[in-house]
Amino acid sequence: MDNEQKKIFLIDANNIIYRSFFAIGRFTTSTGQPTNAVFGFVSTLLKILKEYKPVHMAVVFDAPGPTFRHSLFEEYKIARKPMPDELQAQIPVIKEIIKRFGMKILQQDGYEADDLLASVALKFSERGFDIVVITGDKDILQLLNRKITVLNPATWKVTDENIFQEKYGFAPASIVDYLALAGDASDSIPGVRGIGEKTAAQLVRKFGSIENIYENIADIKGRTRDILMADKNSAFLSKKLVLLSCNIPLEITEEHLKISQPNILAIKEIFQNLEFRKFENSISEIFSLSSSNNNHDSFAIGESIFDFREITENPQKFKQKLEDKNILKIGKDIKEKTKLLASKNIHLSQPYFDVSIASFLLGKSISAADILQAYRQYREELTKQQMEFLFDCVEIPLIEVIVSMETNGILVDTGYLKELKDQYQEEMDQLQEKIFALVGEVFNINSPSQVGRILFERLGLPSKRKTKTGYSTNTNVLEQIRDRHKIVDLILQYRELSKLCSTYIDGFSEYISPVDSRIHPEFLQTGVSSGRLACRNPNLQAIPVKTEKGGRIRKIFIAAREAVLYSFDYNQIELRVLAHFSDDPVLCDAFKNGRDIHLETAKQLFPFQSDSLFGSEDVERYRRIAKTINFGIIYGMNAYGLAQRLSCTPEEGQAFIESYFAKFQGVRRYIHRSISDAEKLGYARTMFGRKRYLPEIHSENKNQREFACRVAINMPIQGTSAELIKLAMIEIHKLMKSRNLQSKMILQIHDELLFEIYEEEQDVVEEIRTIMENIYNLNVPLKVDVQKGKNYLELTKI
């Protein structure tokens, strides 16, 4: 066994979770689910995995209920408030993540995590393992020896017995005596009142232990002796409270602590649910998911198995079989393999079977002796799960479409891009001068702490409670005080321009190909559990549009000189899918007769006497409310969430929802049916058979159950909409390929397809619209809005 395999990492979960919860502050998903503790814990966990690459690890939790310390001291930890509900709701999520990473969770009734950490650390250190305890708690330091070290996740500094001795001037075991004297407010260790850390350290250095201190109390002079004698009982009680129980009976072997194979798909899915987008690349990097990092990448051609490197090193040898439309090719990440082979002048033709996509659809990885055996098992499981159509007719044909779209790329007006950056930089400089003039000093506008100091200390503006990390100055906070001082508006304007420059102008610039001045983004079929395509490097599905300055970013995307940009956008596709699933007569009638669905909803919810009233400002306001409710319903929004969106009370939000369901009873039945089916089956399902498993639907935690219910409502709608546009993309690609058109499909933005269509090929426009509108027969018609223009900002409807 090598050195890394002889090392065990033990994580003090409660220490990290509490620290994250209070340090990060309010942090939620778009639906209001609190995630600050989860985010902090996952950040710590990923850093450990990346930097230390542990083989053995356990995550240790406090057990619920009292411990032996409570019987010793009734006030033990009484100063610590009960765990906040927002934190309590996150514990099951954290435990689920740990399990998906293949790690052991340890918890023992009657004992705190510290005692369990101590018992495990000593047991395995005595067997020759090096132990790293990850915690910020001081009492764990009593364990330090030549085999046990402590890693503080707040500073990422390691403390061993030598570093401890140098800092404190006494042995690690004596930290119990030091804390028995100085106390520990965070754990309600009373200590000796009147003895501080400095005096406690001096006494321990001189006498070694509190027993020795009191045996030699006569040698201690003055007020210190009086204080010690007055609180002698507290000193000995405190030592009992601090001293860790190291003899918990454990039936744990080193195999129990070995990290098992992580469920990468499940990890990515839960991160998507939590909206932890920044962690996706970390997961791929840590577990070497990309095919380029695999030591052995099997690829089958017919019944023969090869290492794919062998094929790329001698491509001409395999060219005929790779291009043969009668031979099945089997591998993972077929899209990337197709692009790589294309660069070697080989066209990988269907039929092929992508193991990665099969695994993603099924939600599990199949282990087999070889890739042919894995293929047979995946194929059998796809049939069993009734996913053949989804796999064979949607996802597999889509690979060729995505390859084409990535290869085509989208043309960038580099001259305008530079002009826009110069313009925004000039505006930022002007804003900066105004901000500095208003406050009378220079500071870093990009620094939240410095902005907080200026706004809340220098200018005295009302603030939220100050935390350990300083004042919160996020956009929500600043919007609330925007009218209190004109500097706030200037800072918000500066931040918007700064983000536009860094994220979009500079961010997009690095991806512009010097060969063709195009951006060639990457589309992922296995990135989103609902079935939507994801886009990265860069993400062109998130081009800003909400503000006038953000919208200008769209102008950088242009058509080639002889071509025009065409946008084909499904009109209200998710609401149309809802109408299909619910068969609601009001919804269906509105869509069948081409009426404005939000206006129709407003008419149903608000008592207008005549249609002639519509068009007034009041009616537009009611339409906006109706639109918010329409989209809120398909995302499972509750009264509180709706109230936040509409700036009304939760009671008013609930009244809106009840009024909606009274008018749209088919929608009410769909929602009840979706939740009931998810409870019975354990998953939500799209029209074409995609499944998303929802174990949270039976959770004892209310927040988790409500989250699962929202997914059960929305996933069939969003997933079916995504599959419809995928089917349309496949048919359009076939059309353009059969006619050998110069025109290109260049971008998919969820419900919208963007094309570069050449002047002499304009007749294809109506053919594309026809394909999209007739791709599948729903209970209501599908409608596509078409726009055209020379750039993506300035499009006109046709």
Side-chain angles (χ1 to χ4, degrees):
M1 189 180 287
D2 61 33
N3 290 338
E4 290 307 314
Q5 290 179 315
K6 291 290 288 182
K7 185 177 286 188
I8 295 173
F9 288 77
L10 301 174
I11 298 179
D12 182 351
N14 288 72
N15 177 261
I16 296 169
I17 290 167
Y18 265 96
R19 181 175 61 84
S20 301
F21 181 80
F22 290 105
I24 294 174
R26 181 167 173 77
F27 193 67
T28 68
T29 65
S30 57
T31 59
Q33 180 184 356
T35 55
N36 49 357
V38 187
F39 186 89
F41 182 85
V42 170
S43 297
T44 302
L45 185 61
L46 292 180
K47 187 175 177 71
I48 294 165
L49 291 171
K50 183 177 180 180
E51 297 194 5
Y52 297 95
K53 299 177 178 59
V55 176
H56 296 85
M57 179 183 282
V59 185
V60 186
F61 283 83
D62 285 340
T67 69
F68 70 91
R69 290 182 179 83
H70 291 88
S71 61
L72 288 173
F73 183 43
E74 288 185 3
E75 295 181 5
Y76 181 63
K77 289 196 176 182
I78 200 169
R80 181 179 289 179
K81 295 178 182 178
M83 184 180 287
D85 291 342
E86 294 87 350
L87 177 54
Q88 183 70 51
Q90 297 179 65
I91 302 298
V93 183
I94 291 169
K95 288 185 174 180
E96 182 61 30
I97 289 170
I98 294 166
K99 290 174 185 174
R100 293 182 183 191
F101 270 100
M103 296 168 188
K104 185 79 172 178
I105 293 174
L106 301 180
Q107 192 170 302
Q108 188 97 338
D109 289 343
Y111 294 95
E112 293 177 41
D114 291 353
D115 301 309
L116 203 47
L117 284 165
S119 297
V120 176
L122 290 175
K123 173 177 179 174
F124 285 97
S125 64
E126 289 169 1
R127 295 183 181 181
F129 284 86
D130 290 320
I131 311 295
V132 180
V133 183
I134 297 127
T135 185
D137 275 359
K138 286 181 182 176
D139 52 359
I140 289 292
L141 297 173
Q142 64 190 272
L143 300 175
L144 293 174
N145 60 35
R146 66 183 185 84
K147 300 295 289 183
I148 301 174
T149 58
V150 171
L151 174 63
N152 189 331
T155 62
W156 294 102
K157 291 182 179 177
V158 175
T159 301
D160 60 19
E161 59 181 341
N162 295 325
I163 293 171
F164 179 95
Q165 182 80 38
E166 190 176 322
K167 178 179 178 180
Y168 288 94
F170 50 80
S174 296
I175 190 82
V176 295
D177 301 280
Y178 167 82
L179 292 174
L181 295 169
D184 186 351
S186 65
D187 282 342
S188 289
I189 305 297
V192 176
R193 282 167 291 186
I195 299 291
E197 292 182 355
K198 184 177 179 182
T199 304
Q202 290 171 346
L203 288 168
V204 172
R205 288 186 200 113
K206 183 173 182 180
F207 294 101
S209 67
I210 60 168
E211 289 82 3
N212 208 28
I213 288 170
Y214 284 100
E215 284 176 12
N216 296 279
I217 196 74
D219 296 340
I220 300 172
K221 307 298 181 187
R223 183 169 175 273
T224 300
R225 181 176 63 184
D226 296 338
I227 290 170
L228 287 167
M229 289 304 298
D231 236 2
K232 179 178 179 180
N233 289 339
S234 180
F236 281 94
L237 171 62
S238 295
K239 183 167 182 175
K240 287 181 181 179
L241 294 174
V242 173
L243 195 63
L244 296 176
S245 177
C246 300
N247 299 309
I248 301 174
L250 301 168
E251 294 183 8
I252 301 172
T253 67
E254 63 188 68
E255 276 303 308
H256 282 107
L257 302 183
K258 196 167 187 177
I259 300 174
S260 59
Q261 184 67 31
N263 188 335
I264 304 302
L265 294 173
I267 293 168
K268 284 193 172 187
E269 180 174 9
I270 201 168
F271 285 176
Q272 288 157 16
N273 298 341
L274 296 169
E275 298 171 10
F276 289 172
R277 297 176 183 89
K278 68 171 284 185
F279 291 141
E280 184 179 339
N281 290 337
S282 298
I283 292 294
S284 298
E285 182 182 345
I286 290 165
F287 294 106
S288 302
L289 288 182
S290 65
S291 58
S292 60
N293 291 332
N294 289 338
N295 292 327
H296 183 67
D297 189 5
S298 293
F299 189 83
I301 304 174
E303 293 295 316
S304 303
I305 300 174
F306 305 92
D307 188 314
F308 192 68
R309 285 177 299 182
E310 183 184 348
I311 295 170
T312 57
E313 287 167 4
N314 192 2
Q316 294 307 312
K317 174 183 173 183
F318 298 92
K319 180 178 172 67
Q320 183 180 350
K321 289 185 177 180
L322 291 169
E323 295 183 344
D324 193 323
K325 295 180 180 179
N326 296 309
I327 297 177
L328 176 66
K329 280 74 67 174
I330 305 165
K332 55 186 172 183
D333 208 355
I334 294 289
K335 185 194 75 172
E336 291 306 312
K337 288 179 169 60
T338 301
K339 290 165 69 177
L340 179 58
L341 290 170
S343 70
K344 300 176 183 295
N345 197 31
I346 293 175
H347 173 70
L348 182 64
S349 66
Q350 295 186 51
Y352 41 65
F353 186 98
D354 192 316
V355 171
S356 306
I357 292 175
S359 176
F360 179 74
L361 290 182
L362 294 168
K364 63 180 179 182
S365 297
I366 291 175
S367 297
D370 58 50
I371 197 164
L372 286 172
Q373 186 180 337
Y375 157 72
R376 286 187 280 271
Q377 290 181 32
Y378 275 119
R379 177 52 76 189
E380 183 180 329
E381 193 65 23
L382 287 166
T383 302
K384 182 180 175 183
Q385 297 293 332
Q386 298 181 316
M387 288 184 173
E388 303 104 313
F389 179 84
L390 181 63
F391 183 81
D392 294 322
C393 302
V394 181
E395 297 299 340
I396 289 299
L398 190 69
I399 294 173
E400 185 178 313
V401 185
I402 293 175
V403 168
S404 173
M405 200 160 57
E406 290 181 358
T407 304
N408 292 336
I410 185 166
L411 187 61
V412 176
D413 185 340
T414 53
Y416 176 72
L417 186 65
K418 183 180 185 307
E419 177 187 319
L420 193 61
K421 179 172 183 179
D422 292 343
Q423 179 186 333
Y424 283 175
Q425 188 60 58
E426 184 179 344
E427 289 183 39
M428 287 170 64
D429 292 342
Q430 291 170 358
L431 286 167
Q432 184 173 269
E433 287 181 20
K434 290 178 183 178
I435 291 167
F436 293 162
L438 278 173
V439 78
E441 72 172 86
V442 174
F443 64 99
N444 183 357
I445 304 172
N446 292 315
S447 166
S449 61
Q450 292 188 39
V451 169
R453 179 181 62 81
I454 293 294
L455 295 181
F456 305 124
E457 294 179 6
R458 178 73 184 270
L459 299 177
L461 296 177
S463 70
K464 300 279 186 181
R465 183 175 61 86
K466 189 175 182 182
T467 65
K468 291 179 182 178
T469 55
Y471 298 101
S472 173
T473 62
N474 63 33
T475 302
N476 289 337
V477 169
L478 296 192
E479 286 288 355
Q480 292 172 27
I481 59 171
R482 196 167 198 156
D483 60 344
R484 297 298 187 100
H485 197 293
K486 58 184 175 181
I487 194 175
V488 180
D489 184 62
L490 297 177
I491 289 171
L492 285 167
Q493 289 183 51
Y494 181 92
R495 281 187 177 178
E496 180 191 3
L497 290 170
S498 178
K499 180 171 178 60
L500 289 173
C501 285
S502 61
T503 303
Y504 299 106
I505 296 177
D506 293 339
F508 287 170
S509 294
E510 65 179 287
Y511 290 103
I512 299 172
S513 166
V515 176
D516 59 10
S517 295
R518 290 176 178 265
I519 290 176
H520 300 267
E522 180 184 358
F523 289 91
L524 306 174
Q525 287 174 265
T526 57
V528 184
S529 55
S530 68
R532 275 187 164 190
L533 287 180
C535 181
R536 68 182 183 189
N537 298 329
N539 182 4
L540 294 185
Q541 293 179 329
I543 305 170
V545 69
K546 287 186 179 180
T547 65
E548 182 269 332
K549 284 185 171 65
R552 284 190 224 167
I553 299 292
R554 293 184 163 229
K555 196 173 178 180
I556 72 173
F557 299 109
I558 59 173
R561 185 174 300 171
E562 303 84 7
V564 178
L565 283 185
Y566 275 84
S567 162
F568 296 79
D569 193 358
Y570 273 118
N571 176 287
Q572 309 292 1
I573 189 169
E574 292 192 351
L575 288 171
R576 290 172 190 269
V577 171
L578 172 62
H580 175 81
F581 281 148
S582 67
D583 206 18
D584 184 275
V586 181
L587 272 185
C588 290
D589 185 66
F591 281 127
K592 285 175 181 176
N593 290 286
R595 295 197 294 272
D596 181 325
I597 190 60
H598 303 312
L599 204 55
E600 192 69 20
T601 303
K603 287 182 182 181
Q604 295 292 328
L605 298 182
F606 305 107
F608 293 103
Q609 300 299 316
S610 167
D611 286 353
S612 63
L613 290 174
F614 281 87
S616 68
E617 287 186 13
D618 279 347
V619 173
E620 282 305 307
R621 180 169 66 86
Y622 288 132
R623 184 186 182 278
R624 283 195 297 272
I625 293 173
K627 182 177 180 179
T628 303
I629 294 170
N630 275 332
F631 286 115
I633 291 296
I634 63 176
Y635 283 96
M637 192 180 292
N638 58 19
Y640 178 76
L642 188 60
Q644 285 188 312
R645 298 289 179 90
L646 295 177
S647 299
C648 65
T649 66
E651 290 75 21
E652 289 171 321
Q654 184 61 37
F656 281 135
I657 290 173
E658 288 175 2
S659 178
Y660 179 95
F661 284 139
K663 299 292 185 180
F664 297 90
Q665 295 199 22
V667 177
R668 181 198 288 272
R669 287 192 293 272
Y670 163 74
I671 288 173
H672 287 167
R673 184 172 70 247
S674 298
I675 294 171
S676 175
D677 287 350
E679 288 172 342
K680 291 174 188 171
L681 301 171
Y683 59 79
R685 185 178 183 273
T686 67
M687 184 189 299
F688 299 104
R690 187 184 307 272
K691 295 177 182 177
R692 174 163 174 185
Y693 288 90
L694 295 169
E696 303 93 341
I697 200 89
H698 299 296
S699 172
E700 294 179 5
N701 182 275
K702 180 184 175 185
N703 287 338
Q704 288 294 296
R705 276 198 320 276
E706 288 180 349
F707 161 75
C709 290
R710 290 195 296 272
V711 174
I713 296 163
N714 175 251
M715 186 271 179
I717 297 170
Q718 190 180 95
T720 299
S721 302
E723 288 158 3
L724 288 171
I725 199 167
K726 285 179 177 180
L727 286 168
M729 291 168 70
I730 293 164
E731 291 306 310
I732 294 166
H733 178 74
K734 286 179 185 174
L735 168 72
M736 300 178 82
K737 186 178 176 183
S738 68
R739 291 188 30 197
N740 197 27
L741 297 179
Q742 192 179 0
S743 299
K744 302 176 175 72
M745 187 191 305
I746 55 177
L747 198 60
Q748 191 252 41
I749 308 171
H750 303 312
D751 304 334
E752 177 186 12
L753 294 176
L754 198 63
F755 290 81
E756 191 174 62
I757 296 179
Y758 283 78
E759 298 285 356
E760 64 273 19
E761 297 174 350
Q762 296 290 307
D763 58 325
V764 79
V765 172
E766 282 309 312
E767 293 182 76
I768 292 172
R769 190 206 297 258
T770 300
I771 287 172
M772 292 180 72
E773 291 186 340
N774 294 279
I775 195 64
Y776 194 84
N777 268 338
L778 299 181
N779 292 346
V780 296
L782 290 171
K783 184 185 174 188
V784 173
D785 297 323
V786 184
Q787 293 180 291
K788 73 172 184 176
K790 289 301 289 185
N791 65 67
Y792 193 31
L793 175 66
E794 298 165 333
L795 298 175
T796 56
K797 194 167 184 177
I798 61 170

